[in-house]
Amino acid sequence: MRIGVFVCHCGSNIAGTVDVERVAREALKLPGVVFSDTNKYTCSAPGQESVCSAIKENALDRVVIASCSPRMHEATFRKMIAEKTDLNPYMLEIANIREQCSWVHKDREQGTRKACDLVAMAVAKVSCDRELFTTNLPVERRALVIGGGIAGIQAALDIADAGFPVTLVERESSIGGKMVMLDKTFPTMDCSACICTPKMSEAAENPNIEIKSLTEVESVSGYIGSFDVTLREKAKYVDYDVCTGCGLCETKCPTKKIPSEFNQGLSTRTAIYKPFPQAVPSKPTIDAEHCKKLQSGKCGVCEKVCPTGAIRYDDVDRVTTQRYGAIVVASGYELIDWTGLYGEYGAGRYPDVITGLQFERIVNASGPTEGHILRPSDRTEPKTTVIVKCVGSRDPNKGVSYCSRACCMYAAKHAHQYLDKVPDGTCYVFYMDVRCAGKGYDEFYMRTLQDGAIYVRGRVSKIYPEGDGLVCMGEDTLSGEIVRVKADMVVLETAMVPSRGSDVLASKLNVQRGPEGFFTEAHPKLRPVETNTAGVYLAGVAQGPKDIPDTVAQAGAVASKVIGLFARGQIESNPMLSKVDVSRCSGCRACVDVCPYGALGLVQANLRENSRKVTRTVCQVNEGLCQGCGACSVACRSGALDLLGFSDEGIMQEVEMLCQ
Amino acid sequence: MTANLTQQIRDRARDLLQSGTVSCFIAWEPARFEHWRTPVTIESPDEVDRIVVDEWCDQLIAKYALQRRGDGRIGMVARGCESRAVERLVADRQVSRQDVYLVGVGCTGMLDRDGGAPLKKCEECQRRNPVTYDEMVGETVEEPRPYRFGEVDRIESMEPEQRRAFFDRMFSQCAMCFACRNVCPACNCRSCFADAERVGWLEKDFGLDASRYWGLMRAFHTGDRCIECGECERACPMGLPLMTLMHKQVRDIDRLFGPYEGGGLSDAGPDPLRSYRTDDVEEFM
């Protein structure tokens, strides 16, 4: 064994606290070490050159580099060894003497002693290292985007524009998500539908994008580059190949009193319907729950009036399986159901207490009131409106603990729109804080204040009816006075919560969710659109509350990751994976239960033991799914599982060395 | 235990073996001295009169099922502890429930072969009746469910130095015979880490370090799956209070993860320490 130790000064980052020359001298006394050296900047070109030539000149077969965190430069040095020497790149250990040593110590003697220990441990571990080899796995150049909101649409468009086919899956009957329901977008006040619907039709017309509406992900198997995804497309009862979207069926459908989901229950729709005129796909579906023909067999009006004969009452769900190389999760959000949480706001009993999204529909020109601000109860113009922020947000006792981020601006926009359309109206905004970080955001808030919106710092503690209005009671925490505002309408800016079914989707995709239920990114700063499952990416509010510009930016970032993966066309496998020694495996299944990636399974294996042929249940590792987290090797009591590159033996030797 | 239990079990064993329901029947037989019983595996209906089932059957026989895997269905007398041990082996996928035929008996506790005092493990027993069986012989018995954490309470109330001294004294007497492992129904690995021929793992000398390492590792390897049969403590030739660590873990796991008992008694899914959940308790992180 010929181990070389290279100690890095990192300028004064390390050398300032650690006597690197002494560390190099001490390292030479360690078993197996035949060479040691120091370097000003090992990661620089001359630094790398000197390491490579030392490896060749001294015929080193294992290398320890004592420098920064392996997260920083392990990949750099691996690449260097692979490309410039004959050594296997996995015969390398990094001793972190910067982040975990020089940066946290002030005393030079202590720091140096610790650096010596860290190097000794790395030498012990590298002695146990074995050569590991990567393989190239092919990538299916086809992406699946889950969720057809603005995040999903943007990601799909960007990937499709690069020339790769995309399937855009939406569980509702039209893509567009929440953005298409909004009236205007802050801070520029451009029409939300006017900028969202062109994207929707662009997606529909893009030859590389296949939109599957009323479709949900049934199951996912496989791994990066090769996910086999089963999709369930629900029965639409309309043959989209024949339907021209003329809309005659909608006008004739006798069932007309169904609350419209798109208009947030403020108007009604028919049983055969398109959620809104600009829907994509621009064709109707039958709501089986409310359709007379499908429920009782009597009606059939749409079939009679349809000029192309597109109605199919016997339509069934279609289940298809397709292979995808990458999956984008853009499943979005929904608003918290405040009615169950806030009894003091009437729990939904007062029709004039509405949500922000309902206000969006009221203020929208194509909404139920054609853009006139009329309150739901008696369709009169409210002269006093109260906007309550943080309903559910930042309220760990009742709602969620986090800030929903978009509501401060959203509330300012509502106040602005209300004062614009009701010039003689008064608008109160109850707030906890005003958070307007963003380009042009604070200016917009200031403009709303100039419009005359009255901001009251405090939470509304109670809303109760009085006469034909509502009284909002709260404390102005700046003056310390109790405030009672007689309002005609109250708008609650409710919290964003993960969309329903996120938990099920997370388990199908094997991705993690944070305590608040949003999907967790691989690294909060450096890998914000990846998940810990390779090949699964996050865009939009599915990852955490954010506004439209951030969502679109994130969708673009996701697309660049997916395009990068597809452009390479193959991925190098990570060889630091679990490995099972079947002779020790008793098939107890503990590893299968703890594996977060579903990478382990039990198989019947034909083995030869003590000169006898036996068939036993043993564990098997799926190398495509394994991420090398090591949970299984810890769970395995008999040590049948080991993590290559982090073998039990290597870790034991490290500890052993430290204890000497 | 009723006087004619032995006869009833013999009759059942004969019937089961004759009808081919089971290929063998595991019970006890008298051993060399009075009040000594030893596990026996009966393979022929003619041999069933060797079986004795009485208050001296101090050994847990469930683990013998492992030696008969693949030979057809295994008949067995099942008290509370045997039934829980079988559940444990099923949960660890070492046998399937259909491979075992359990003749359940209610148990009122066993006596020490030396002196006839009630066994400690039986005085702490939480399950005198089988939790699973294919047929019952005799009546079920009353379940007193005695408090079993008295010793844990006592050790928890000690000062750290006292506690260390307690465990050091305990482990310094360990003879490293691994009897506790050999009888434990949760110790069902194909190869034990203690037998690994690797330098730097478990030392083979009789030092306190090695025996402490062995004792703690054994406790952790079985902690979340302990069925509290108390066999480790009964089998220990040095009489070490091994169940203190097991009881401590059982109680801690109960407190952290909700009502839970080893041996797959709860339907809450996999054992708490071998599951992956994002909402898992991690107040230490």
Side-chain angles (χ1 to χ4, degrees):
Chain A
M1 199 176 298
R2 298 182 63 81
I3 303 172
V5 177
F6 300 88
V7 188
C8 185
H9 291 248
C10 197
S12 63
N13 266 312
I14 294 170
T17 322
V18 171
D19 181 351
V20 287
E21 300 298 340
R22 195 177 120 201
V23 174
R25 279 199 308 278
E26 292 291 322
L28 260 185
K29 298 177 192 161
L30 294 165
V33 178
V34 296
F35 179 83
S36 76
D37 194 7
T38 66
N39 222 305
K40 201 82 181 160
Y41 290 103
T42 314
C43 58
S44 66
Q48 291 195 25
E49 201 48 55
S50 83
V51 174
C52 290
S53 52
I55 290 173
K56 283 174 206 154
E57 282 161 22
N58 299 284
L60 303 178
D61 58 6
R62 282 149 217 266
V63 175
V64 170
I65 296 179
S67 58
C68 48
S69 160
R71 282 198 80 125
M72 192 79 191
H73 277 313
E74 188 174 54
T76 314
F77 293 131
R78 280 245 164 84
K79 194 157 164 261
M80 169 193 88
I81 291 176
E83 287 172 1
K84 297 179 192 162
T85 74
D86 298 331
L87 207 57
N88 183 288
Y90 291 88
M91 305 299 265
L92 163 77
E93 289 298 328
I94 306 286
N96 179 0
I97 60 166
R98 193 177 76 169
E99 284 85 342
Q100 289 172 1
C101 185
S102 70
W103 281 359
V104 291
H105 291 290
K106 288 197 176 74
D107 185 85
R108 197 171 166 82
E109 176 56 29
Q110 276 187 339
T112 306
R113 273 216 310 274
K114 182 164 167 185
C116 289
D117 283 347
L118 289 168
V119 169
M121 286 166 72
V123 167
K125 181 152 181 270
V126 86
S127 320
C128 301
D129 279 354
R130 271 177 294 177
E131 295 192 336
L132 301 177
F133 300 94
T134 60
T135 51
N136 283 324
L137 305 170
V139 170
E140 175 77 26
R141 294 170 169 180
R142 178 189 296 275
L144 174 70
V145 177
I146 303 169
I150 185 61
I153 294 172
Q154 186 64 47
L157 281 172
D158 288 350
I159 297 168
D161 283 346
F164 302 111
V166 181
T167 303
L168 178 58
V169 165
E170 168 60 52
R171 70 175 161 200
E172 304 297 339
S173 57
S174 169
I175 60 168
K178 294 282 186 298
M179 182 177 173
V180 80
M181 293 181 185
L182 307 180
D183 180 50
K184 297 257 182 342
T185 56
F186 58 78
T188 45
M189 296 304 281
D190 38 357
C191 162
S192 185
C194 310
I195 54 176
C196 186
T197 50
K199 290 259 181 211
M200 289 159 62
S201 48
E202 204 185 322
E205 283 154 21
N206 192 313
N208 277 333
I209 298 180
E210 180 194 15
I211 296 176
K212 278 182 174 284
S213 60
L214 283 177
T215 301
E216 292 198 60
V217 175
E218 185 119 317
S219 64
V220 180
S221 64
Y223 43 85
I224 181 170
S226 169
F227 292 106
D228 288 319
V229 183
T230 304
L231 301 172
R232 176 177 290 271
E233 190 173 359
K234 298 217 184 75
K236 297 183 168 79
Y237 306 102
V238 176
D239 187 342
Y240 276 22
D241 294 335
V242 180
C243 174
T244 59
C246 70
L248 195 58
C249 49
E250 279 187 78
T251 58
K252 300 291 182 196
C253 178
T255 313
K256 295 184 192 299
K257 294 283 181 200
I258 310 159
S260 157
E261 293 86 359
F262 184 74
N263 277 331
Q264 295 289 299
L266 296 168
S267 70
T268 56
R269 62 164 173 86
T270 48
I272 184 164
Y273 75 112
K274 234 165 49 171
F276 53 100
Q278 305 87 353
V280 171
S282 184
K283 287 169 189 179
T285 52
I286 294 180
D287 170 4
E289 210 180 303
H290 293 99
C291 173
K292 279 186 188 166
K293 177 75 180 178
L294 291 171
Q295 290 295 327
S296 62
K298 295 188 203 96
C299 182
V301 170
C302 46
E303 190 177 24
K304 282 182 206 117
V305 300
C306 179
T308 58
I311 308 295
R312 301 276 182 274
Y313 293 123
D314 57 353
D315 199 11
V316 288
D317 292 5
R318 271 180 288 274
V319 178
T320 51
T321 302
Q322 172 80 49
R323 180 163 289 185
Y324 295 98
I327 298 176
V328 178
V329 182
S331 53
Y333 69 101
E334 46 201 75
L335 295 176
I336 199 166
D337 180 17
W338 67 276
T339 55
L341 303 170
Y342 289 87
E344 62 269 40
Y345 296 171
R349 285 196 308 278
Y350 316 137
D352 294 330
V353 179
I354 61 172
T355 64
L357 208 49
Q358 285 177 315
F359 183 81
E360 293 285 347
R361 296 315 304 152
I362 288 175
V363 79
N364 188 278
S366 64
T369 58
E370 292 170 338
H372 300 290
I373 296 189
L374 303 174
R375 64 181 195 171
S377 66
D378 53 7
R379 297 232 159 194
T380 57
E381 194 174 69
K383 291 299 172 198
T384 309
T385 292
V386 169
I387 294 172
V388 186
K389 299 207 312 193
C390 297
V391 177
S393 303
R394 301 177 70 197
D395 188 356
N397 294 322
K398 292 204 158 188
V400 297
S401 55
Y402 55 85
C403 164
S404 296
R405 269 189 69 188
C407 339
C408 279
M409 289 303 294
Y410 192 52
K413 186 195 72 167
H414 288 163
H416 170 77
Q417 284 180 300
Y418 170 74
L419 292 169
D420 186 42
K421 293 209 170 182
V422 186
D424 59 339
T426 314
C427 183
Y428 293 88
V429 181
F430 281 86
Y431 71 101
M432 288 163 72
D433 289 297
V434 181
R435 297 176 168 179
C436 297
K439 194 172 171 185
Y441 286 11
D442 204 59
E443 293 89 327
F444 185 89
Y445 163 54
M446 288 300 162
R447 207 168 90 205
T448 306
L449 287 180
Q450 281 156 19
D451 290 341
I454 302 160
Y455 271 66
V456 183
R457 189 176 192 277
R459 283 195 119 122
V460 170
S461 59
K462 194 171 172 61
I463 299 173
Y464 58 92
E466 196 178 276
D468 64 347
L470 298 156
V471 175
C472 295
M473 218 170 82
E475 189 191 357
D476 180 349
T477 55
L478 297 181
S479 68
E481 281 169 20
I482 300 295
V483 184
R484 279 191 181 77
V485 180
K486 183 92 191 320
D488 298 315
M489 185 169 79
V490 180
V491 181
L492 305 178
E493 309 295 17
T494 43
M496 293 183 196
V497 291
S499 59
R500 73 194 144 81
S502 294
D503 47 349
V504 181
L505 186 60
S507 64
K508 282 176 186 162
L509 293 169
N510 256 321
V511 296
Q512 286 151 28
R513 299 193 308 150
E516 69 292 330
F518 292 108
F519 294 99
T520 308
E521 62 277 19
H523 189 282
K525 288 161 191 76
L526 302 177
R527 295 177 70 202
V529 298
E530 293 98 323
T531 64
N532 275 325
T533 300
V536 180
Y537 304 90
L538 302 173
V541 183
Q543 179 258 338
K546 60 178 64 68
D547 57 16
I548 294 167
D550 285 3
T551 296
V552 173
Q554 199 177 18
V558 161
S560 82
K561 296 284 171 193
V562 174
I563 294 165
L565 172 70
F566 288 180
R568 282 199 304 281
Q570 57 182 25
I571 44 163
E572 200 176 32
S573 67
N574 168 20
M576 294 163 100
L577 303 176
S578 273
K579 186 172 180 295
V580 61
D581 174 359
V582 288
S583 69
R584 289 165 179 273
C585 176
S586 66
C588 77
R589 215 189 125 89
C591 52
V592 180
D593 291 334
V594 298
C595 179
Y597 304 102
L600 296 160
L602 295 179
V603 290
Q604 291 291 321
N606 295 315
L607 306 167
R608 184 167 268 283
E609 281 170 356
N610 300 328
S611 314
R612 269 177 64 197
K613 277 184 182 167
V614 289
T615 303
R616 277 201 297 124
T617 307
V618 294
C619 154
Q620 191 178 48
V621 183
N622 179 328
E623 294 183 355
L625 288 175
C626 178
Q627 306 281 315
C629 74
C632 55
S633 68
V634 178
C636 183
R637 286 175 293 270
S638 54
L641 279 156
D642 210 354
L643 185 59
L644 296 178
F646 288 95
S647 64
D648 287 345
E649 197 69 47
I651 308 269
M652 290 292 268
Q653 292 308 320
E654 264 189 301
V655 176
E656 194 74 13
M657 182 61 90
L658 183 65
C659 296
Q660 274 174 12
Chain B
M1 301 218 149
T2 51
N4 63 352
L5 187 63
T6 295
Q7 195 51 51
Q8 286 177 307
I9 295 287
R10 285 177 183 172
D11 292 346
R12 286 308 300 138
R14 186 181 296 112
D15 288 353
L16 289 167
L17 285 164
Q18 257 163 8
S19 66
T21 311
V22 300
S23 64
C24 63
F25 193 87
I26 306 176
W28 301 266
E29 67 175 341
R32 188 183 295 179
F33 305 108
E34 194 193 4
H35 299 153
W36 282 40
R37 301 286 177 263
T38 188
V40 62
T41 303
I42 302 290
E43 288 173 349
S44 148
D46 311 331
E47 294 179 355
V48 295
D49 288 339
R50 287 166 66 184
I51 296 176
V52 171
V53 181
D54 59 13
E55 65 276 24
W56 303 102
C57 298
D58 53 1
Q59 302 177 52
L60 180 76
I61 52 174
K63 209 178 171 183
Y64 287 89
L66 295 181
Q67 296 174 2
R68 307 294 303 207
R69 276 182 292 194
D71 294 349
R73 209 166 180 196
I74 305 156
M76 189 190 294
V77 182
R79 303 168 295 192
C81 42
E82 269 89 22
S83 72
R84 292 191 62 184
V86 167
E87 296 264 78
R88 183 68 263 156
L89 295 173
V90 171
D92 288 342
R93 302 176 66 87
Q94 298 308 302
V95 292
S96 77
R97 181 64 184 81
Q98 299 88 278
D99 291 347
V100 187
Y101 188 95
L102 299 181
V103 177
V105 293
C107 167
T108 50
M110 296 292 137
L111 304 178
D112 191 338
R113 58 175 78 163
D114 303 319
L119 285 176
K120 175 171 173 282
K121 66 169 186 169
C122 298
E123 286 189 314
E124 290 173 343
C125 178
Q126 301 295 305
R127 300 275 172 174
R128 295 173 142 203
N129 293 302
V131 294
T132 175
Y133 52 82
D134 296 285
E135 63 174 270
M136 273 300 275
V137 168
E139 298 298 309
T140 55
V141 295
E142 161 196 18
E143 293 273 17
R145 300 263 162 103
Y147 183 72
R148 61 201 191 279
F149 300 121
E151 188 67 0
V152 178
D153 292 335
R154 190 177 74 81
I155 297 167
E156 277 182 346
S157 69
M158 287 179 181
E159 294 298 316
E161 303 79 48
Q162 276 180 295
R163 201 154 46 222
R164 173 148 191 141
F166 172 86
F167 284 113
D168 278 357
R169 195 167 69 244
M170 167 168 145
F171 289 128
S172 64
Q173 294 170 53
C174 172
M176 302 268 278
C177 68
F178 304 141
C180 46
R181 173 192 73 186
N182 296 349
V183 292
C184 177
C187 280
N188 49 45
C189 287
R190 285 177 62 79
S191 65
C192 181
F193 80 94
D195 299 334
E197 293 164 354
R198 298 204 219 175
V199 177
W201 285 62
L202 183 62
E203 294 167 43
K204 304 291 186 271
D205 63 357
F206 288 98
L208 176 58
D209 282 348
S211 57
R212 187 197 287 132
Y213 180 63
W214 159 249
L216 291 176
M217 290 311 290
R218 188 198 72 83
F220 283 157
H221 275 197
T222 53
D224 64 324
R225 300 174 304 124
C226 175
I227 60 162
E228 300 177 84
C229 64
E231 275 290 273
C232 48
E233 206 167 83
R234 183 197 61 78
C236 180
M238 306 306 291
L240 305 185
L242 298 173
M243 281 305 286
T244 49
L245 281 173
M246 307 318 291
H247 278 148
K248 166 72 175 153
Q249 289 184 98
V250 165
R251 186 159 76 174
D252 282 357
I253 288 173
D254 261 0
R255 284 177 179 168
L256 281 167
F257 298 99
Y260 166 82
E261 283 180 89
L265 282 185
S266 72
D267 295 328
D271 306 330
L273 300 193
R274 62 180 248 196
S275 63
Y276 172 78
R277 283 176 29 204
T278 48
D279 59 342
D280 227 344
V281 189
E282 46 182 17
E283 77 287 346
F284 51 90
M285 288 183 83

